[in-house]
Structures are given as C-alpha cells and as structure tokens.
Amino acid sequence: MYDVSTRKRALALMTQGRSLNSVSRETGISRAAIRSWQDRLEPLPRMAPPTPGPPADECAYAYLLGLYLGDGCISGHPRSTGYYLRIACANSWPGLIEACEIAMRAINPTGCASRTQAQGYVSVVSYSRHWPHFFPQHGPGKKHERRIVLEPWQQVIVDAYPWEFIRGLIHSDGCRITNWTTRTVAGEQKRYEYPRYFLTNLSPDIIRLFTTTLDYVGVEWKQANARNISVARKASVALMDAHVGPKY
C-alpha cells in the first residue's frame, strides 16, 4: 500500500499535464492506482476480519475446552496473524488422540487439524486466527500461574454439556484406576478392589471448575490436597462410568 505522500507526488505530476503512461513509467505505480487516487486520495481503512460467535458445535467445544485446560496451549504464528492450538495426547491412548482431532476439526472454522509425533506423545495441532477468541483463557505464562475464569458464553456451554467438559478434563489430566484394600472377615484377611477417578492439576481455578461441574451433575468428590481430586463413592463412580469412562 502506498502512503499519502507518494500518492500526492504522483498526482502532482499529473497536474503538470503529464499522461498516465508517463507518470506510471516514472514512478513505477500502475495507471489504475493513479487513476483511483484522482477520485480518493486517502487509503480505505483496513477492515478487521469478523470475529466469530461461540462455536456452533457446543458439545465438541465443551470436550475440547476440557482438553485445552488440561494439556493445551496456543501460540502465535511467527509470520502471520494466526495461531496454533496444540493439545498433547499420550501415545498410550489412541482413542483419545482420535477424539481430540475430531473435536478440533469440528470447532476450527477451516475444519483442519493434524498430528505431530513427539517423544512419548502426539501433539494434535490446528491453525486458525480465532483460537484466542474461542479460548480466552490463553495468555502468557503457565495456566496455574494466572487466573482461569470462564466467560459467560463458555459457562452456558459447560452448563449445557457438563459431562463433555468433565470428560475432557479427565482425558487430559485425569484417570480411572482400580484401588485395592484388605479387610479382615471372620478372622480371614481378604482383598477388595474398587474403581476410582482422579484429576490432578496445579491450577486452583481449574480444580474449582472441575469440582463445581461435578457438583452440578451430582457427583460426590474429595480433595486429598491442593492438586488432587478423587471420586470413589460407588454411585458417583457409576455416574462417571456412564458418562466418562476410562481412557482408551
């Protein structure tokens, strides 16, 4: 784009009675551009691309939001205005990798996503200029070192699809394991096994989002310490099994 001073110099040559061809050859500016400046000297304001509304696929978004809060990051492209969304998925869970890519494609306006193999994990990656809008929790530094709060439109989606949000958090920073204990019955020591869900995250805000959503769906939980949440009661584990299940 030519600045205003360059435009004025070209038009000044025209006022001297020069032809479009001669001014174009001398300045290296196209005749069409010079002709348009005779009607409008000032450049048109550059229009910012429209900002999309909330994602249309709210179910996929709730799941992807959980994954992002656990194992996701957003980084700018060094030579454009776009951003990369990356979510790290362990090699051990191919079903999780597939589900992550499907959700990412559903949310990205371009429908694009890819996988990059790293040491011990797959990075599911997608490029869009809109990722910071879809995930306003993006910011400098680590998530547990800054405030993480959902925007009102995000909370509406989580309220509509709480299990997908919980599932995303469990798939990123959680697990379903089998605990065991021993108990003496009629003088004989017996071993008992029982399933339990865990979530581990350093961010107190993400822990709060998780436990608030568990309360919303009626799951009982306990907090062993600042970073660990467990679900062990039989009825609550059954609920989690019905809607979340183990990684696969």
Side-chain angles (χ1 to χ4, degrees):
M1 179 180 289
Y2 296 99
D3 58 27
V4 173
S5 61
T6 299
R7 297 170 182 229
K8 287 181 176 179
R9 285 196 297 272
L11 293 180
L13 294 174
M14 291 292 297
T15 61
Q16 297 172 10
R18 304 273 297 276
S19 67
L20 271 174
N21 284 336
S22 65
V23 175
S24 177
R25 284 195 300 269
E26 180 175 329
T27 61
I29 301 170
S30 71
R31 291 180 300 169
I34 298 171
R35 190 182 296 114
S36 70
W37 298 341
Q38 291 176 310
D39 296 326
R40 181 187 177 91
L41 179 64
E42 296 290 334
L44 291 171
R46 183 173 294 178
M47 300 297 291
T51 300
D57 192 334
E58 295 184 347
C59 181
Y61 177 78
Y63 176 64
L64 193 61
L65 176 61
L67 291 178
Y68 164 73
L69 291 177
D71 287 324
C73 68
I74 294 173
S75 57
H77 191 286
R79 294 183 300 278
S80 76
T81 58
Y83 296 83
Y84 288 108
L85 169 64
R86 293 182 174 88
I87 295 179
C89 305
N91 288 338
S92 306
W93 316 116
L96 164 57
I97 297 170
E98 180 71 15
C100 176
E101 183 176 347
I102 290 172
M104 201 176 284
R105 289 182 183 276
I107 301 306
N108 189 344
T110 68
C112 295
S114 61
R115 306 179 190 183
T116 301
Q117 183 64 57
Q119 185 68 35
Y121 71 94
V122 169
S123 184
V124 183
V125 185
S126 186
Y127 176 82
S128 172
R129 68 165 58 96
H130 300 306
W131 288 130
H133 169 76
F134 289 144
F135 299 100
Q137 290 71 36
H138 165 64
K142 300 175 182 178
K143 294 191 191 82
H144 69 273
E145 295 175 347
R146 63 179 190 268
R147 187 82 186 278
I148 301 294
V149 180
L150 297 185
E151 294 292 325
W153 64 266
Q154 291 179 297
Q155 189 62 60
V156 169
I157 292 176
V158 169
D159 289 345
Y161 297 95
W163 285 112
E164 293 303 314
F165 180 62
I166 292 170
R167 183 167 170 260
L169 286 169
I170 289 292
H171 279 189
S172 58
D173 278 343
C175 63
R176 183 190 188 276
I177 65 171
T178 300
N179 275 10
W180 65 272
T181 187
T182 58
R183 184 181 304 170
T184 301
V185 179
E188 183 181 353
Q189 196 172 57
K190 294 187 176 182
R191 174 179 169 129
Y192 291 90
E193 295 183 348
Y194 61 96
R196 171 178 286 191
Y197 283 85
F198 275 102
L199 180 86
T200 300
N201 195 290
L202 293 175
S203 167
D205 289 334
I206 294 175
I207 289 289
R208 177 185 52 79
L209 290 172
F210 179 64
T211 56
T212 298
T213 311
L214 290 180
D215 290 339
Y216 185 73
V217 296
V219 169
E220 295 184 67
W221 53 272
K222 288 186 177 181
Q223 186 163 6
N225 50 53
R227 64 179 66 179
N228 287 300
I229 301 295
S230 70
V231 175
R233 285 190 174 272
K234 186 175 181 179
S236 293
V237 170
L239 268 177
M240 296 285 282
D241 282 344
H243 295 281
V244 178
K247 298 179 187 180
Y248 58 96

